[in-house]
Amino acid sequence: MGSDTHLPDIESISQVFLELAARFGEKVRFRFWGCQPPEQVQQLPRRNGPAHANLRLPKFAEYFLGQETDILIAPLLDSLFNVARAPSSC
């Protein structure tokens, strides 16, 4: 999940999606929120998305709590963009 600004984050794990699809076939479904996944991932069967969840934080959290998923991920590379957006620990 993530906006188009997070495409590099999604791309960093696209090989994992391909391997999961090859290993589990019809037993796995991929859902994306926000940005389109890389082209190879878009070709996978049983892929949904992207859905746009342009909601403020409380509604955003409520929306995701209502999703039926086994695993939800939001990969983040160690990049200047992602570090700049992280909450301060101070």
Side-chain angles (χ1 to χ4, degrees):
M1 75 176 177
S3 69
D4 290 338
T5 59
H6 289 288
L7 183 57
D9 302 312
I10 299 295
E11 288 174 334
S12 74
I13 61 168
S14 62
Q15 185 61 36
V16 174
F17 298 132
L18 300 174
E19 291 172 15
L20 287 169
R23 182 171 180 185
F24 296 105
E26 292 294 312
K27 295 180 182 177
V28 66
R29 180 180 312 150
F30 300 99
R31 296 182 69 192
F32 293 87
W33 287 278
C35 66
Q36 287 281 1
E39 185 65 34
Q40 288 180 303
V41 176
Q42 289 183 39
Q43 303 306 315
L44 293 175
R46 298 178 53 82
R47 182 196 62 81
N48 296 35
H52 295 278
N54 295 329
L55 306 170
R56 294 195 174 268
L57 190 54
K59 290 288 184 185
F60 177 79
E62 182 181 325
Y63 171 80
F64 277 100
L65 285 172
Q67 300 304 301
E68 292 185 27
T69 60
D70 293 319
I71 300 171
L72 241 155
I73 62 171
L76 293 174
L77 293 172
D78 186 11
S79 68
L80 182 59
F81 176 81
N82 288 334
V83 170
R85 295 187 53 154
S88 174
S89 59
C90 297

